[in-house]
Amino acid sequence: MPKKSTIKPQVPKILLIGASGTLGRAVHAELKQRHEVLAASRRGKFKVDISDAASIQRLFKQIGKVDAIVCAAGKVHFGALSDMTDALYTIGLRDKLMGQVNLALIGRDYLNDGGSITLITGILAEQPIRQGSSASMVNGAIEAFVRAAAIELPRGIRINAVSPNVFTESMAGYAPYFRGFEPIPVARAALAFSRSVEGAQTGQVYKVF
Ligand SMILES: NC(=O)c1ccc[n+]([C@@H]2O[C@H](COP(=O)([O-])OP(=O)(O)OC[C@H]3O[C@@H](n4cnc5c(N)ncnc54)[C@H](OP(=O)(O)O)[C@@H]3O)[C@@H](O)[C@H]2O)c1
């Protein structure tokens, strides 16, 4: 009989940004069943502001190598097109768009071989609502970035995005903007993150509509 190994199998380590939010809590609950999850946000256990590249650098220096980077954070400004300005679009460009792009650019050097990056977009990339031009623009840009980055990332590193419909859990505040949309339980969106992290595909946008 071969001796039983005393080496413990390594539990994959995941960095989850936005872990305290509506989506982040659901993603945390899904992934912690099989992974060590490092919960990060501006006020989280691990502190990071994705709109500041230096803050992303500091976080990775603190935590070191991981097997997956998952983002469930990203802010944009909602407002009527007639009121939108350069400065108001810049909010979404700095936070949800370049925040996640920088997470991928800086984070790739801290990913183990075969690791993955999963970013968040949303249904507004293809189904616009009033006051949502910044969200539509930023979500579309992230999805295009994911498709392009996937063909150039080294060492078997994969990258995908999750594009969910509005969450049932967010309808208290969002219902007036999303009339006629069929909300989804946030746990369904969390499953798409599991597909991205634990599956084999790259360059995908997982739609949860
Ligand atoms: N809610 C929906 O129905 C819905 C549907 C489709 C897509 N989405 C997208 O899903 C993402 C999350 O939405 P949500 O409703 O879960 O938001 P949420 O409840 O407001 O949670 C946002 C999370 O991100 C963190 N965060 C915010 N700004 C950050 C920053 N600059 N750097 C690091 N962490 C930051 C927050 O924690 P701290 O305050 O501690 O930083 C919190 O953990 C957004 O990009 C949203 O557009 C949402």
Side-chain angles (χ1 to χ4, degrees):
M1 278 274 280
K3 269 193 187 160
K4 237 186 177 175
S5 169
T6 51
I7 302 169
K8 270 196 185 165
Q10 274 219 317
V11 179
K13 198 188 264 190
I14 297 183
L15 171 64
L16 168 60
I17 316 277
S20 57
T22 306
L23 175 62
R25 288 195 303 274
V27 173
H28 196 183
E30 177 60 37
L31 293 177
K32 77 174 184 197
Q33 301 173 48
R34 297 169 297 279
H35 304 83
E36 179 188 350
V37 180
L38 308 181
S41 68
R42 289 168 304 181
R43 291 163 297 180
K45 179 173 175 204
F46 294 96
K47 301 218 179 329
V48 67
D49 179 348
I50 59 167
S51 67
D52 173 6
S55 166
I56 299 174
Q57 285 280 10
R58 279 196 297 277
L59 174 69
F60 279 110
K61 281 205 176 108
Q62 180 191 356
I63 63 170
K65 291 252 176 177
V66 294
D67 298 294
I69 298 166
V70 169
C71 189
K75 188 173 74 180
V76 299
H77 179 80
F78 283 86
L81 188 67
S82 53
D83 297 333
M84 288 300 288
T85 59
D86 187 342
L88 292 175
Y89 280 117
T90 301
I91 294 170
L93 295 179
R94 278 180 60 104
D95 196 289
K96 189 165 182 175
L97 176 56
M98 286 315 297
Q100 295 197 90
V101 169
N102 282 327
L103 202 54
L105 295 183
I106 298 165
R108 72 189 155 179
D109 294 333
Y110 290 88
L111 274 170
N112 291 322
D113 291 358
S116 68
I117 300 163
T118 308
L119 307 183
I120 178 69
T121 64
I123 192 170
L124 301 185
E126 47 194 281
Q127 300 289 333
I129 59 169
R130 287 189 196 91
Q131 305 193 35
S133 65
S134 178
S136 294
M137 176 178 78
V138 161
N139 288 344
I142 296 161
E143 294 179 6
F145 170 74
V146 160
R147 281 189 287 270
I151 64 170
E152 289 196 61
L153 279 168
R155 300 187 288 109
I157 293 171
R158 300 179 299 107
I159 184 166
N160 298 300
V162 174
S163 175
N165 205 329
V166 65
F167 307 139
T168 313
E169 291 80 352
S170 300
M171 282 305 263
Y174 290 0
Y177 304 97
F178 286 88
R179 294 287 179 225
F181 283 69
E182 195 174 346
I184 57 145
V186 70
R188 267 192 65 201
L191 281 178
F193 281 84
S194 158
R195 243 177 113 185
S196 173
V197 171
E198 299 173 89
Q201 291 181 292
T202 190
Q204 301 299 303
V205 177
Y206 294 112
K207 294 180 191 177
V208 194
F209 290 178

PDB file of all heavy atoms in Angstrom, residues 66-95:
ATOM      1  N   VAL A  66      -1.678  35.245  -6.190  1.00  0.00           N
ATOM      2  CA  VAL A  66      -3.015  34.658  -6.071  1.00  0.00           C
ATOM      3  C   VAL A  66      -3.298  33.803  -7.311  1.00  0.00           C
ATOM      4  O   VAL A  66      -2.577  33.873  -8.312  1.00  0.00           O
ATOM      5  CB  VAL A  66      -4.121  35.744  -5.921  1.00  0.00           C
ATOM      6  CG1 VAL A  66      -3.985  36.504  -4.615  1.00  0.00           C
ATOM      7  CG2 VAL A  66      -4.110  36.706  -7.105  1.00  0.00           C
ATOM      8  N   ASP A  67      -4.365  33.016  -7.227  1.00  0.00           N
ATOM      9  CA  ASP A  67      -4.755  32.170  -8.359  1.00  0.00           C
ATOM     10  C   ASP A  67      -5.849  32.814  -9.204  1.00  0.00           C
ATOM     11  O   ASP A  67      -6.044  32.431 -10.359  1.00  0.00           O
ATOM     12  CB  ASP A  67      -5.233  30.804  -7.846  1.00  0.00           C
ATOM     13  CG  ASP A  67      -4.114  30.090  -7.117  1.00  0.00           C
ATOM     14  OD1 ASP A  67      -3.126  29.737  -7.774  1.00  0.00           O
ATOM     15  OD2 ASP A  67      -4.204  29.936  -5.879  1.00  0.00           O
ATOM     16  N   ALA A  68      -6.584  33.738  -8.603  1.00  0.00           N
ATOM     17  CA  ALA A  68      -7.632  34.423  -9.369  1.00  0.00           C
ATOM     18  C   ALA A  68      -7.866  35.813  -8.802  1.00  0.00           C
ATOM     19  O   ALA A  68      -7.729  36.036  -7.594  1.00  0.00           O
ATOM     20  CB  ALA A  68      -8.933  33.620  -9.324  1.00  0.00           C
ATOM     21  N   ILE A  69      -8.211  36.726  -9.712  1.00  0.00           N
ATOM     22  CA  ILE A  69      -8.602  38.089  -9.332  1.00  0.00           C
ATOM     23  C   ILE A  69     -10.030  38.273  -9.815  1.00  0.00           C
ATOM     24  O   ILE A  69     -10.326  38.045 -10.999  1.00  0.00           O
ATOM     25  CB  ILE A  69      -7.684  39.125 -10.005  1.00  0.00           C
ATOM     26  CG1 ILE A  69      -6.228  38.930  -9.554  1.00  0.00           C
ATOM     27  CG2 ILE A  69      -8.159  40.535  -9.714  1.00  0.00           C
ATOM     28  CD1 ILE A  69      -5.220  39.672 -10.424  1.00  0.00           C
ATOM     29  N   VAL A  70     -10.894  38.654  -8.888  1.00  0.00           N
ATOM     30  CA  VAL A  70     -12.309  38.792  -9.212  1.00  0.00           C
ATOM     31  C   VAL A  70     -12.754  40.183  -8.798  1.00  0.00           C
ATOM     32  O   VAL A  70     -12.497  40.600  -7.666  1.00  0.00           O
ATOM     33  CB  VAL A  70     -13.123  37.724  -8.435  1.00  0.00           C
ATOM     34  CG1 VAL A  70     -14.602  38.011  -8.524  1.00  0.00           C
ATOM     35  CG2 VAL A  70     -12.814  36.332  -8.960  1.00  0.00           C
ATOM     36  N   CYS A  71     -13.413  40.896  -9.705  1.00  0.00           N
ATOM     37  CA  CYS A  71     -13.881  42.239  -9.362  1.00  0.00           C
ATOM     38  C   CYS A  71     -15.404  42.306  -9.353  1.00  0.00           C
ATOM     39  O   CYS A  71     -16.054  41.972 -10.348  1.00  0.00           O
ATOM     40  CB  CYS A  71     -13.318  43.289 -10.312  1.00  0.00           C
ATOM     41  SG  CYS A  71     -13.704  44.955  -9.716  1.00  0.00           S
ATOM     42  N   ALA A  72     -15.939  42.754  -8.217  1.00  0.00           N
ATOM     43  CA  ALA A  72     -17.387  42.981  -8.083  1.00  0.00           C
ATOM     44  C   ALA A  72     -17.619  44.432  -7.678  1.00  0.00           C
ATOM     45  O   ALA A  72     -18.582  44.747  -6.982  1.00  0.00           O
ATOM     46  CB  ALA A  72     -17.977  42.028  -7.050  1.00  0.00           C
ATOM     47  N   ALA A  73     -16.711  45.314  -8.102  1.00  0.00           N
ATOM     48  CA  ALA A  73     -16.818  46.741  -7.777  1.00  0.00           C
ATOM     49  C   ALA A  73     -16.671  47.551  -9.048  1.00  0.00           C
ATOM     50  O   ALA A  73     -16.048  47.105 -10.012  1.00  0.00           O
ATOM     51  CB  ALA A  73     -15.718  47.141  -6.785  1.00  0.00           C
ATOM     52  N   GLY A  74     -17.207  48.756  -9.032  1.00  0.00           N
ATOM     53  CA  GLY A  74     -17.053  49.644 -10.187  1.00  0.00           C
ATOM     54  C   GLY A  74     -18.201  50.618 -10.250  1.00  0.00           C
ATOM     55  O   GLY A  74     -19.355  50.216 -10.381  1.00  0.00           O
ATOM     56  N   LYS A  75     -17.848  51.898 -10.135  1.00  0.00           N
ATOM     57  CA  LYS A  75     -18.879  52.938 -10.072  1.00  0.00           C
ATOM     58  C   LYS A  75     -18.921  53.718 -11.385  1.00  0.00           C
ATOM     59  O   LYS A  75     -17.884  53.955 -12.001  1.00  0.00           O
ATOM     60  CB  LYS A  75     -18.514  53.885  -8.922  1.00  0.00           C
ATOM     61  CG  LYS A  75     -19.581  54.900  -8.591  1.00  0.00           C
ATOM     62  CD  LYS A  75     -19.220  55.688  -7.344  1.00  0.00           C
ATOM     63  CE  LYS A  75     -18.126  56.690  -7.611  1.00  0.00           C
ATOM     64  NZ  LYS A  75     -17.728  57.492  -6.459  1.00  0.00           N
ATOM     65  N   VAL A  76     -20.136  54.125 -11.760  1.00  0.00           N
ATOM     66  CA  VAL A  76     -20.315  55.067 -12.878  1.00  0.00           C
ATOM     67  C   VAL A  76     -21.334  56.112 -12.412  1.00  0.00           C
ATOM     68  O   VAL A  76     -22.070  55.877 -11.459  1.00  0.00           O
ATOM     69  CB  VAL A  76     -20.863  54.379 -14.152  1.00  0.00           C
ATOM     70  CG1 VAL A  76     -19.918  53.313 -14.653  1.00  0.00           C
ATOM     71  CG2 VAL A  76     -22.255  53.822 -13.928  1.00  0.00           C
ATOM     72  N   HIS A  77     -21.388  57.243 -13.110  1.00  0.00           N
ATOM     73  CA  HIS A  77     -22.401  58.254 -12.779  1.00  0.00           C
ATOM     74  C   HIS A  77     -23.633  58.027 -13.639  1.00  0.00           C
ATOM     75  O   HIS A  77     -23.534  57.872 -14.862  1.00  0.00           O
ATOM     76  CB  HIS A  77     -21.850  59.659 -13.034  1.00  0.00           C
ATOM     77  CG  HIS A  77     -22.852  60.720 -12.735  1.00  0.00           C
ATOM     78  ND1 HIS A  77     -23.111  61.159 -11.453  1.00  0.00           N
ATOM     79  CD2 HIS A  77     -23.710  61.404 -13.549  1.00  0.00           C
ATOM     80  CE1 HIS A  77     -24.068  62.075 -11.485  1.00  0.00           C
ATOM     81  NE2 HIS A  77     -24.442  62.239 -12.756  1.00  0.00           N
ATOM     82  N   PHE A  78     -24.803  57.994 -12.992  1.00  0.00           N
ATOM     83  CA  PHE A  78     -26.066  57.909 -13.719  1.00  0.00           C
ATOM     84  C   PHE A  78     -26.656  59.308 -13.831  1.00  0.00           C
ATOM     85  O   PHE A  78     -26.781  60.011 -12.823  1.00  0.00           O
ATOM     86  CB  PHE A  78     -27.054  56.978 -12.995  1.00  0.00           C
ATOM     87  CG  PHE A  78     -26.736  55.515 -13.211  1.00  0.00           C
ATOM     88  CD1 PHE A  78     -25.829  54.857 -12.388  1.00  0.00           C
ATOM     89  CD2 PHE A  78     -27.313  54.812 -14.263  1.00  0.00           C
ATOM     90  CE1 PHE A  78     -25.509  53.519 -12.597  1.00  0.00           C
ATOM     91  CE2 PHE A  78     -27.000  53.469 -14.481  1.00  0.00           C
ATOM     92  CZ  PHE A  78     -26.102  52.829 -13.655  1.00  0.00           C
ATOM     93  N   GLY A  79     -27.005  59.721 -15.052  1.00  0.00           N
ATOM     94  CA  GLY A  79     -27.588  61.046 -15.245  1.00  0.00           C
ATOM     95  C   GLY A  79     -28.083  61.188 -16.678  1.00  0.00           C
ATOM     96  O   GLY A  79     -27.590  60.494 -17.582  1.00  0.00           O
ATOM     97  N   ALA A  80     -29.054  62.083 -16.853  1.00  0.00           N
ATOM     98  CA  ALA A  80     -29.610  62.318 -18.195  1.00  0.00           C
ATOM     99  C   ALA A  80     -28.501  62.782 -19.136  1.00  0.00           C
ATOM    100  O   ALA A  80     -27.609  63.538 -18.725  1.00  0.00           O
ATOM    101  CB  ALA A  80     -30.704  63.377 -18.112  1.00  0.00           C
ATOM    102  N   LEU A  81     -28.591  62.342 -20.379  1.00  0.00           N
ATOM    103  CA  LEU A  81     -27.561  62.696 -21.366  1.00  0.00           C
ATOM    104  C   LEU A  81     -27.367  64.212 -21.422  1.00  0.00           C
ATOM    105  O   LEU A  81     -26.239  64.704 -21.529  1.00  0.00           O
ATOM    106  CB  LEU A  81     -27.965  62.148 -22.739  1.00  0.00           C
ATOM    107  CG  LEU A  81     -26.910  62.263 -23.823  1.00  0.00           C
ATOM    108  CD1 LEU A  81     -25.703  61.378 -23.542  1.00  0.00           C
ATOM    109  CD2 LEU A  81     -27.494  61.924 -25.193  1.00  0.00           C
ATOM    110  N   SER A  82     -28.493  64.943 -21.304  1.00  0.00           N
ATOM    111  CA  SER A  82     -28.411  66.412 -21.402  1.00  0.00           C
ATOM    112  C   SER A  82     -27.610  67.023 -20.252  1.00  0.00           C
ATOM    113  O   SER A  82     -27.130  68.155 -20.366  1.00  0.00           O
ATOM    114  CB  SER A  82     -29.823  67.011 -21.425  1.00  0.00           C
ATOM    115  OG  SER A  82     -30.549  66.525 -20.315  1.00  0.00           O
ATOM    116  N   ASP A  83     -27.478  66.288 -19.146  1.00  0.00           N
ATOM    117  CA  ASP A  83     -26.718  66.818 -17.993  1.00  0.00           C
ATOM    118  C   ASP A  83     -25.297  66.268 -17.926  1.00  0.00           C
ATOM    119  O   ASP A  83     -24.504  66.707 -17.081  1.00  0.00           O
ATOM    120  CB  ASP A  83     -27.423  66.433 -16.672  1.00  0.00           C
ATOM    121  CG  ASP A  83     -28.803  67.042 -16.563  1.00  0.00           C
ATOM    122  OD1 ASP A  83     -29.020  68.114 -17.171  1.00  0.00           O
ATOM    123  OD2 ASP A  83     -29.665  66.439 -15.895  1.00  0.00           O
ATOM    124  N   MET A  84     -24.977  65.296 -18.759  1.00  0.00           N
ATOM    125  CA  MET A  84     -23.655  64.649 -18.639  1.00  0.00           C
ATOM    126  C   MET A  84     -22.564  65.605 -19.124  1.00  0.00           C
ATOM    127  O   MET A  84     -22.753  66.355 -20.074  1.00  0.00           O
ATOM    128  CB  MET A  84     -23.615  63.338 -19.442  1.00  0.00           C
ATOM    129  CG  MET A  84     -24.440  62.201 -18.828  1.00  0.00           C
ATOM    130  SD  MET A  84     -23.938  61.705 -17.165  1.00  0.00           S
ATOM    131  CE  MET A  84     -22.393  60.869 -17.487  1.00  0.00           C
ATOM    132  N   THR A  85     -21.428  65.523 -18.445  1.00  0.00           N
ATOM    133  CA  THR A  85     -20.276  66.374 -18.782  1.00  0.00           C
ATOM    134  C   THR A  85     -19.032  65.496 -18.849  1.00  0.00           C
ATOM    135  O   THR A  85     -19.060  64.329 -18.422  1.00  0.00           O
ATOM    136  CB  THR A  85     -20.044  67.420 -17.679  1.00  0.00           C
ATOM    137  OG1 THR A  85     -19.809  66.706 -16.455  1.00  0.00           O
ATOM    138  CG2 THR A  85     -21.221  68.352 -17.513  1.00  0.00           C
ATOM    139  N   ASP A  86     -17.962  66.092 -19.330  1.00  0.00           N
ATOM    140  CA  ASP A  86     -16.666  65.414 -19.357  1.00  0.00           C
ATOM    141  C   ASP A  86     -16.343  64.864 -17.958  1.00  0.00           C
ATOM    142  O   ASP A  86     -15.990  63.692 -17.782  1.00  0.00           O
ATOM    143  CB  ASP A  86     -15.620  66.466 -19.791  1.00  0.00           C
ATOM    144  CG  ASP A  86     -14.250  65.886 -20.035  1.00  0.00           C
ATOM    145  OD1 ASP A  86     -13.986  64.764 -19.566  1.00  0.00           O
ATOM    146  OD2 ASP A  86     -13.436  66.563 -20.672  1.00  0.00           O
ATOM    147  N   ALA A  87     -16.524  65.716 -16.942  1.00  0.00           N
ATOM    148  CA  ALA A  87     -16.173  65.315 -15.567  1.00  0.00           C
ATOM    149  C   ALA A  87     -17.047  64.155 -15.091  1.00  0.00           C
ATOM    150  O   ALA A  87     -16.555  63.249 -14.401  1.00  0.00           O
ATOM    151  CB  ALA A  87     -16.320  66.510 -14.633  1.00  0.00           C
ATOM    152  N   LEU A  88     -18.324  64.176 -15.449  1.00  0.00           N
ATOM    153  CA  LEU A  88     -19.218  63.106 -14.972  1.00  0.00           C
ATOM    154  C   LEU A  88     -18.910  61.774 -15.663  1.00  0.00           C
ATOM    155  O   LEU A  88     -18.988  60.713 -15.035  1.00  0.00           O
ATOM    156  CB  LEU A  88     -20.686  63.512 -15.169  1.00  0.00           C
ATOM    157  CG  LEU A  88     -21.151  64.668 -14.268  1.00  0.00           C
ATOM    158  CD1 LEU A  88     -22.583  65.092 -14.599  1.00  0.00           C
ATOM    159  CD2 LEU A  88     -21.051  64.281 -12.785  1.00  0.00           C
ATOM    160  N   TYR A  89     -18.542  61.817 -16.956  1.00  0.00           N
ATOM    161  CA  TYR A  89     -18.123  60.568 -17.616  1.00  0.00           C
ATOM    162  C   TYR A  89     -16.809  60.053 -17.025  1.00  0.00           C
ATOM    163  O   TYR A  89     -16.579  58.855 -16.932  1.00  0.00           O
ATOM    164  CB  TYR A  89     -17.959  60.766 -19.128  1.00  0.00           C
ATOM    165  CG  TYR A  89     -19.269  60.725 -19.889  1.00  0.00           C
ATOM    166  CD1 TYR A  89     -19.734  61.836 -20.579  1.00  0.00           C
ATOM    167  CD2 TYR A  89     -20.038  59.561 -19.915  1.00  0.00           C
ATOM    168  CE1 TYR A  89     -20.933  61.808 -21.270  1.00  0.00           C
ATOM    169  CE2 TYR A  89     -21.250  59.529 -20.608  1.00  0.00           C
ATOM    170  CZ  TYR A  89     -21.691  60.655 -21.272  1.00  0.00           C
ATOM    171  OH  TYR A  89     -22.885  60.611 -21.948  1.00  0.00           O
ATOM    172  N   THR A  90     -15.955  61.007 -16.620  1.00  0.00           N
ATOM    173  CA  THR A  90     -14.641  60.614 -16.089  1.00  0.00           C
ATOM    174  C   THR A  90     -14.775  59.751 -14.825  1.00  0.00           C
ATOM    175  O   THR A  90     -13.921  58.905 -14.550  1.00  0.00           O
ATOM    176  CB  THR A  90     -13.781  61.870 -15.821  1.00  0.00           C
ATOM    177  OG1 THR A  90     -13.647  62.566 -17.064  1.00  0.00           O
ATOM    178  CG2 THR A  90     -12.391  61.513 -15.316  1.00  0.00           C
ATOM    179  N   ILE A  91     -15.863  59.938 -14.077  1.00  0.00           N
ATOM    180  CA  ILE A  91     -16.070  59.117 -12.857  1.00  0.00           C
ATOM    181  C   ILE A  91     -16.060  57.635 -13.229  1.00  0.00           C
ATOM    182  O   ILE A  91     -15.331  56.832 -12.651  1.00  0.00           O
ATOM    183  CB  ILE A  91     -17.409  59.502 -12.174  1.00  0.00           C
ATOM    184  CG1 ILE A  91     -17.329  60.945 -11.651  1.00  0.00           C
ATOM    185  CG2 ILE A  91     -17.756  58.510 -11.048  1.00  0.00           C
ATOM    186  CD1 ILE A  91     -18.674  61.507 -11.173  1.00  0.00           C
ATOM    187  N   GLY A  92     -16.876  57.268 -14.214  1.00  0.00           N
ATOM    188  CA  GLY A  92     -16.952  55.858 -14.631  1.00  0.00           C
ATOM    189  C   GLY A  92     -15.685  55.386 -15.324  1.00  0.00           C
ATOM    190  O   GLY A  92     -15.286  54.225 -15.182  1.00  0.00           O
ATOM    191  N   LEU A  93     -15.066  56.301 -16.096  1.00  0.00           N
ATOM    192  CA  LEU A  93     -13.835  55.920 -16.801  1.00  0.00           C
ATOM    193  C   LEU A  93     -12.728  55.586 -15.804  1.00  0.00           C
ATOM    194  O   LEU A  93     -12.001  54.606 -15.962  1.00  0.00           O
ATOM    195  CB  LEU A  93     -13.374  57.049 -17.731  1.00  0.00           C
ATOM    196  CG  LEU A  93     -14.320  57.377 -18.897  1.00  0.00           C
ATOM    197  CD1 LEU A  93     -13.761  58.526 -19.728  1.00  0.00           C
ATOM    198  CD2 LEU A  93     -14.546  56.155 -19.782  1.00  0.00           C
ATOM    199  N   ARG A  94     -12.604  56.391 -14.755  1.00  0.00           N
ATOM    200  CA  ARG A  94     -11.539  56.172 -13.747  1.00  0.00           C
ATOM    201  C   ARG A  94     -11.833  54.989 -12.849  1.00  0.00           C
ATOM    202  O   ARG A  94     -10.935  54.245 -12.477  1.00  0.00           O
ATOM    203  CB  ARG A  94     -11.404  57.414 -12.859  1.00  0.00           C
ATOM    204  CG  ARG A  94     -10.576  58.519 -13.458  1.00  0.00           C
ATOM    205  CD  ARG A  94     -10.525  59.668 -12.478  1.00  0.00           C
ATOM    206  NE  ARG A  94      -9.919  59.202 -11.207  1.00  0.00           N
ATOM    207  CZ  ARG A  94      -8.685  59.478 -10.851  1.00  0.00           C
ATOM    208  NH1 ARG A  94      -7.940  60.215 -11.630  1.00  0.00           N
ATOM    209  NH2 ARG A  94      -8.198  59.041  -9.715  1.00  0.00           N
ATOM    210  N   ASP A  95     -13.112  54.837 -12.469  1.00  0.00           N
ATOM    211  CA  ASP A  95     -13.450  53.835 -11.458  1.00  0.00           C
ATOM    212  C   ASP A  95     -13.762  52.489 -12.107  1.00  0.00           C
ATOM    213  O   ASP A  95     -12.953  51.555 -12.076  1.00  0.00           O
ATOM    214  CB  ASP A  95     -14.630  54.357 -10.622  1.00  0.00           C
ATOM    215  CG  ASP A  95     -14.788  53.580  -9.319  1.00  0.00           C
ATOM    216  OD1 ASP A  95     -15.212  52.406  -9.387  1.00  0.00           O
ATOM    217  OD2 ASP A  95     -14.490  54.120  -8.249  1.00  0.00           O
TER     218      ASP A  95
END
